Amino acid sequence: MKESRRKFIKTAGCALGMTAFATQVHHFGLMTALAQKVDGNGRQKGSLGTGYKALVCVFLGGGNDGNNMIVPNHNSPTISNYSVYAAARAPQGLAIAQNQLLPISVPRMGGLSYGLNPAFGPVTGGNNGIHELWAQGRLAFATNVGTLVSPMTKAQYQNNSVSKPYQLFSHLDQVYQFHAGRSDTFSFTGWGGRVSDEMTLASNPNGLVPMITSINGSQLYTSGQSTQPLAIADAGTPLNEVLNPIGFGDDQISQARLQAFNQLRAVDRDNNYVDAASAITDSAIAANSALASYQEVTVPFPNTSIGRQLRQVARLIKKQADLNVDRQIFT
Amino acid sequence: MTVSRVPRLIALLSLFVVGLSAPNINAQTDPDPNSPSPVLLSAADDPSRAMASKDDSGFERLPDGKSSAYRIGDTIRLYVSEVELMPGEGASAFRVYARDSNKRLYRFPVLELSEVKSTKPVFAVTIRIRDEIGFWEQPSETGDLEVAVTWRGLVSNPLLLGLGRFGGLKFEAPQEQKTKQQDDENLPEYVGYRWSGDRMRFLEQATFGPTEDLDHRVRRIGLRTWIAEQFGKPYPSPSNPYPNIPLKPNNVQTGCPDPRGTLEYNLCVRTHYSMYPVQTWFFKEAFYGEPQLRHRVAWALSQLWVTSFPTIQQSSHMLAYHKVLSDHAFGNYRDLMKDMTLNPAMGDYLDMARSTKNNPNENYAREILQLFTVGLFMLNQDGTLQYDENNNPIPTYDQETVNNFTRVLTGWTFCNVGCPNSTLGAVNFKDPLILNQNNHDVTAKVLLDYPNAVNRNIPAGLNGNAEMDLALDNIFYHPNLGPFVGKYLIQHLVTSDPTPAYVGRVASAFNNNGNGVRGDMKAVIRAILLDPEARGDEKTDPNFGKLREPVQLMTNFYRQLEVSSADGTQQSDGYVPHVAAYMSQNPFGAPTVFNYYPPNYVIPGTGLLAPEFGLMNTGSSIARANIATILSFSNIPVDNRNPPNAPLGTSINIDDLIPVAQADPSANMLMDRLDHKFMHGTMSAAMRDTILQAVLAVPAEAPDFRVRTALFLIASSSQYQIQR
């Protein structure tokens, strides 16, 4: 894995201020076009970065016992080790036995051994799990992250010397902040949407589908000021059917009805709610045309909710050349 | 994408006996619901520009100077006529919207309203030119904005206002903004409510959809009497009682023994461990029930005090929870608070039933404050935020307060032994939670602080039951409660973004029902439904209305078309929850305690408040159109499962529309009928012409298909899907 990509992941997770955040996004290469547009050093606008890139975001709703996900698997006396972990958790029966941990060697920690939760191992009747990706350099963890206005220590938290996240103990607000990429206040937009705002012109010139796609309804993360996501069902529905209105044949009566269905959205848009609903449907109908054909992916995905979601993402990625989009965001 | 969600936690009750007056057939006639449309006065030197003046130019009389351009931050006055104010109505009843050449929407705060000396009543509307929505940056000072004033859901004529300089916007003379008033003129004396458009609008707000029968009833007895009649109706309908389902063990294998796959097993699981009985009961009541208003308000409350399947495992658990909502929908909010706090489903959902002094859980304590009663920030009585000296919103409470409420709410658990519904081997989700004082934290607590706070300090050593009442009173008397609950219910029944004036009037009814009683839901509902911002034959304010949530979209359409079984011979079996779920709203299965959509959701690109739009995206918009197709051209068929989920199926009935289509090959009669039925007479000429073209493409010999074509086009249109 390239260092720049690790940096991106780290930064995205740590929710730095948005200026720093944008810089890191630039390092990732995702925002090449943006960087060129905002570059103040007289650098010439060039062509887009070469090669297609996609950012696939899986957002886990609810809580996660992160300290049981990556466990110290070493006995170093200087930093928290397995016995410290076990001592804290054994009384409640929450400690994972050391021999069940899936070991990883962490270069940043001087090659110390850590262990992944056994759930990251091989799946019965399935693949080998994500554990093996670590050794291949295809997996990174951003640890000790949260919604922060800026980094703070425990002492700073206690003496209120650094701004705390907006509505720190409100679950809903903290979720929004992960989506928004800012923690100092309420935000109307998500960072995926904002990136999409900036990059659509260069990276998605034909605009056949929005460059940001959500497989589970609309999320704050996907909302920009000017771009809205393609929100579609998972791979349980073929890509050419996810946005296809049913019930219209080729006969003249059907076509007259279809034409009226479309024409109705062009009128009465003086009411802003009518306008907003019609705009969303317009976007769906436009995307439907673009998705009329697609190639099935050959990589097997498990038939689970997340498997079907990722499979639908894979179908869209496979269609990127067709759609003439070279950067895409999925969530 | 979301992989999993961990919902949170739970409840209880007391019966509030509804005193009801016998419906009076010779009811009072309701007043004319139609307010005049405001007129924005134009400048003397240019009729396309708004008459305006800077704050310091005097406002005793109309300005006579030339129109000029203004700057961001300027305080200026605009002038409106044709408005008639009621007592207490002022600046907060008005909004001033502006659009720039990019069509971006802004709203300028209205600071003051004052009457100007003139030959006719004119009001000066003082505004600051500074957007308060906050979605976009401030408009640039590079040319004209188009501004308009709204009041009671009605918009004025738009006019230009120079920002920085003139120009940049092409002004199109507005169409006459006359609302349609639909006074059935030649009606006999006994008619209680003659405004046919507003009758339909009212029924969209107060029921699960207008029907001919309801329309006639309201026309005859008027709105006030109809509401009083609804307050007194038994609930649920005697023909559709709550299903009586016994408690089962949490372990499905124990509750429904094998062999799996048998009819008996399948029935057992469906009856006890799915929401099927609740959902079908719910839709039968929505389709055919007499007590529509209580059903509607209880449905709204179920999206405020949320619990959901599958965390709530059994239908019997959910039914006991729903009874709490419906019992208090016309009762007192304080009783709802208590019974919901002691309701076992809520206690399970938000963990209060497991919270003890040694192992406290703050889930319920947090959510009763944040989601169910007072919200995060201090509110003015009109629902707007209060700000501190640094212009920051003022938190209603802090983590310490949550911790203190958490300690108050320790010690309750399920009454598994000795209560009326205690069942061996099952958790008692029917009777209220009971207190085990040994598990109750008896230290002193410090609760919500607010002016003249009630019970802020709870002394040590109290019994938990006494303490709970003190703590609930501490919440109940918080000044946020009226605007918080009032605005929430307005959003569910009437419009997504009510004016502060409207919220204020409803909050005032919450604070005092006229007899000194706080929290009287009947007074709140009356205030919401009879408010001049809700009433009137047509609303022209471009920011008035709400997206019909999937459940309402479906039930309105069905009820307007005499919903029946698939073969049309009897009532539907109510098996339509999958229809709503297909449009992203699985009834009694909200994704989390935050409901299907948040009350503060804004439409991306506008900043407009629109909770239900949280469910509106490319995928669900097509799902809505597909449902319109299925409902219009087909039905929910009888299924052949074992047992069938849909033993009877569900269908619209268009028998009385077919003769209308037959009688007039031009289809104009049909369009007139559908315009009244679905659009309360406000269908635009453009919409009508568009639908007519598709209808006329169907041969006149196929009137059935003509009707269905028109129904599909209406049901799938944004014009219908926005309730206005």
Side-chain angles (χ1 to χ4, degrees), chain B residues 372-393:
Chain B
F372 307 155
T373 58
V374 294
L376 295 172
F377 296 111
M378 292 298 291
L379 303 175
N380 297 307
Q381 284 305 294
D382 64 9
T384 55
L385 291 175
Q386 293 181 14
Y387 293 94
D388 65 15
E389 62 274 18
N390 297 322
N391 215 26
N392 292 316

Side-chain angles (χ1 to χ4, degrees), chain B residues 11-13 339 342-344 413-415 419 428 430-434:
Chain B
L12 122 127
L13 147 133
D339 285 2
L342 292 176
N343 174 265
T413 191
F414 306 98
C415 183
C419 285
N428 186 352
K430 292 193 176 184
D431 295 308
L433 300 177
I434 52 161

Side-chain angles (χ1 to χ4, degrees), chain B residues 382-504:
Chain B
D382 64 9
T384 55
L385 291 175
Q386 293 181 14
Y387 293 94
D388 65 15
E389 62 274 18
N390 297 322
N391 215 26
N392 292 316
I394 303 167
T396 311
Y397 52 86
D398 60 15
Q399 181 57 31
E400 265 310 296
T401 318
V402 174
N403 294 345
N404 277 267
F405 273 99
T406 300
R407 292 193 287 110
V408 169
L409 298 171
T410 48
W412 276 268
T413 191
F414 306 98
C415 183
N416 291 336
V417 179
C419 285
N421 291 292
S422 299
T423 304
L424 192 63
V427 180
N428 186 352
F429 272 86
K430 292 193 176 184
D431 295 308
L433 300 177
I434 52 161
L435 173 69
N436 178 349
Q437 181 70 17
N438 292 332
N439 288 335
H440 178 67
D441 183 321
V442 293
T443 57
K445 288 101 180 172
V446 183
L447 306 181
L448 290 172
D449 192 18
Y450 50 89
N452 305 313
V454 173
N455 304 336
R456 180 163 189 238
N457 290 288
I458 307 258
L462 291 188
N463 174 276
N465 288 315
E467 210 174 288
M468 175 183 283
D469 275 328
L470 293 173
L472 291 178
D473 275 342
N474 171 257
I475 301 174
F476 179 67
Y477 287 98
H478 193 287
N480 271 23
L481 212 57
F484 185 91
V485 175
K487 183 170 179 179
Y488 172 83
L489 286 172
I490 293 171
Q491 288 184 314
H492 269 260
L493 303 182
V494 178
T495 189
S496 287
D497 193 10
T499 63
Y502 185 9
V503 175

